[in-house]
Amino acid sequence: MTEFTFELNDDQKQVRDWLHGFASEVMRPAAAEWDEREETPWPVIQEAAKVGIYSLDFYAQQFFDPTGLGIPMTMEELFWGDAGIGLSIVGTGLAAVGVLANGTEEQIGTWIPQMYGDADDVKVAAFCSSEPDAGSDVGAMRTRAVHDGATGEWVLNGTKTWATNGGIADVHVVVAVVDPEIGSKGHASFIIPPNTPGLSQGQKFKKHGIRASHTAEVVLDGVRVPGHCLLGGKEKLDERLARARERVRAGASERVKNAAMATFEASRPAVGAMAVGTARAAYEVALDYAKTRTQFGRPIIDNQGIAFQLADMRTRIDAARLLVWRASWMASAGKPFTAAEGSMSKLYASEVAKEVTAQAVQILGGNGFTREYPVERMHRDAAIYTIFEGTSEIQRLVIARTLSGMPIR
């Protein structure tokens, strides 16, 4: 029987230390500048590509780590460096996960390499699911994909919003409605190849945090894509839709795989790991500050009010990491999330990130409220974790429904 351990193996430690070095030496010195510029940090992404961090091979190695800890370890270290730059580096991964979750082997082999490009010609990709009137409510999605039987093409129309890398991406993965009569079960995912006519960038958002990550609307106006751009293929889609329609006619309920949800289920523990990285970064700044900042003739950490806060911060961070690691290990081992463990990990870690970064600002006092210290940026960045890829409220709903088996609303 394999020994149970929380200890990373030598290979994992080597990767962790390598990532930590990149985050410390490349990302952190650039973080404040790109936060102020609110632009994609192409030079940092380029540097990540040169050393092998921004590459299909690297993420594939971490994704297929048999312990399941490769991806969360990677996310924690990069987001310890900086959340905005970190999201610019890993944002393509959400689109890649969308292809992995829904695509055929041929589609995976064809499109994912094009999402990254290479060190000399870096590319990014975008996953487009949310809409102006359909964020958490995926059943309200309006973007339509209609099959043109004469040409075998799919025609997409609609507007997507909150898309990381939206409009600047080389490859877009778009979730659209193919059968509106069966709600969220009638969705499918499509690849929009580079330079496809009809796809354009809409509004670019000026955000509270993660400002080094490009977030924008994506407008689809009569976008035509070949049949092979339907992820999974039409035969598989027709079979799935037929089963869903039959269940609807029979008045039965069934958990039918949904294109957007399949992506989010696979990525939620990774988002939890991002939150852990940001929380850990803020905690470490606060701890160092408390050891060196003197008031009334002694370091402020000598005061129980400060010391106990730091003790709670570290405890919550470690607890969040353990939830993320458990969910990641379960996913890698093929164990079902019978208690919504993926959503648990994302929920708790994201709430911890908000709490810990707020406490870090408080410990630094007036200094924590200025941009001279990084906890101000970390606190702004942490707000996103309870919002994107399923709000905290949606995570609680998923957990409650899974535990109770009831259609809680």
Side-chain angles (χ1 to χ4, degrees):
M1 181 178 293
T2 304
E3 180 185 1
F4 178 76
T5 179
F6 286 119
E7 185 74 16
L8 298 176
N9 60 43
D10 290 342
D11 289 342
Q12 290 170 326
K13 289 178 182 177
Q14 186 176 10
V15 172
R16 179 199 61 192
D17 294 345
W18 173 54
L19 290 166
H20 188 82
F22 180 84
S24 177
E25 297 165 16
V26 180
M27 296 174 66
R28 284 203 165 181
E33 174 189 351
W34 291 100
D35 177 71
E36 289 287 346
R37 291 175 64 166
E38 299 192 53
E39 297 174 358
T40 300
W42 290 108
V44 184
I45 300 174
Q46 184 89 36
E47 190 62 28
K50 286 180 180 178
V51 300
I53 291 174
Y54 186 78
S55 72
L56 173 60
D57 288 345
F58 173 70
Y59 286 106
Q61 289 173 14
Q62 303 316 307
F63 185 83
F64 291 111
D65 180 337
T67 70
L69 300 185
I71 290 295
M73 181 183 66
T74 296
M75 298 300 173
E76 180 176 339
E77 292 303 326
L78 292 179
F79 281 70
W80 173 90
D82 179 66
I85 294 177
L87 192 56
S88 286
I89 292 173
V90 307
T92 293
L94 186 59
V97 169
V99 177
L100 283 169
N102 300 293
T104 64
E105 289 187 8
E106 182 179 358
Q107 289 170 330
I108 291 169
T110 298
W111 295 110
I112 294 183
Q114 294 186 45
M115 294 179 175
Y116 289 92
D118 55 46
D120 296 322
D121 187 20
V122 170
K123 306 293 185 182
V124 295
F127 181 75
C128 308
S129 177
S130 294
E131 297 184 3
D133 296 318
S136 298
D137 182 10
V138 295
M141 190 176 293
R142 294 290 179 264
T143 297
R144 294 291 303 275
V146 177
H147 188 249
D148 184 340
T151 64
E153 296 174 315
W154 289 88
V155 184
L156 285 78
N157 286 282
T159 299
K160 294 296 182 178
T161 194
W162 310 123
T164 298
N165 297 330
I168 66 170
D170 206 51
V171 176
H172 290 75
V173 178
V174 175
V175 181
V177 179
V178 294
D179 187 342
E181 300 300 320
I182 53 177
S184 62
K185 300 177 182 65
H187 295 176
S189 289
F190 297 84
I191 291 284
I192 312 299
N195 304 314
T196 298
L199 184 146
S200 62
Q201 178 183 308
Q203 176 186 5
K204 178 187 175 183
F205 296 103
K206 296 180 72 66
K207 306 188 298 295
H208 175 67
I210 55 167
R211 301 197 302 190
S213 173
H214 176 95
T215 310
E217 290 182 333
V218 174
V219 179
L220 303 137
D221 183 10
V223 172
R224 285 182 169 268
V225 296
H228 62 76
C229 287
L230 166 64
L231 290 179
K234 193 169 187 303
E235 182 178 348
K236 184 177 178 181
L237 173 65
D238 289 342
E239 292 175 357
R240 176 167 63 81
L241 294 178
R243 290 196 303 270
R245 291 175 189 129
E246 183 60 32
R247 298 293 294 184
V248 169
R249 283 194 293 268
S253 63
E254 181 182 40
R255 295 183 64 87
V256 179
K257 183 179 178 182
N258 169 270
M261 291 300 101
T263 302
F264 293 141
E265 286 170 8
S267 64
R268 277 173 179 159
V271 176
M274 298 174 189
V276 170
T278 299
R280 190 183 110 212
Y283 158 77
E284 290 176 1
V285 172
L287 177 63
D288 289 344
Y289 186 88
K291 288 178 177 179
T292 57
R293 172 68 167 172
T294 58
Q295 290 285 282
F296 305 105
R298 62 181 183 179
I300 63 174
I301 199 170
D302 281 359
N303 300 302
Q304 283 189 3
I306 299 297
F308 284 9
Q309 280 192 71
L310 288 162
D312 286 343
M313 291 160 74
R314 175 59 186 268
T315 300
R316 289 197 291 269
I317 290 167
D318 282 12
R321 183 184 297 108
L322 289 174
L323 281 171
V324 167
W325 282 17
R326 178 184 69 167
S328 301
W329 169 78
M330 289 177 68
S332 177
K335 296 182 179 295
F337 289 163
T338 56
E341 288 87 352
S343 290
M344 282 185 184
S345 69
K346 196 268 185 184
L347 168 66
Y348 188 72
S350 61
E351 296 288 346
V352 164
K354 284 187 67 174
E355 294 165 5
V356 166
T357 55
Q359 286 178 294
V361 170
Q362 188 70 23
I363 289 171
L364 269 67
N367 286 329
F369 200 65
T370 71
R371 295 189 182 181
E372 297 301 313
Y373 287 80
V375 292
E376 180 271 342
R377 183 179 67 253
M378 294 168 183
H379 182 45
R380 287 188 286 107
D381 291 342
I384 193 60
Y385 299 124
T386 62
I387 298 171
F388 74 172
E389 295 203 46
T391 64
S392 288
E393 292 74 19
I394 289 296
Q395 305 307 323
R396 291 186 175 98
L397 187 64
V398 170
I399 295 166
R401 284 175 173 175
T402 303
L403 295 177
S404 68
M406 301 297 290
I408 298 170
R409 299 185 183 278

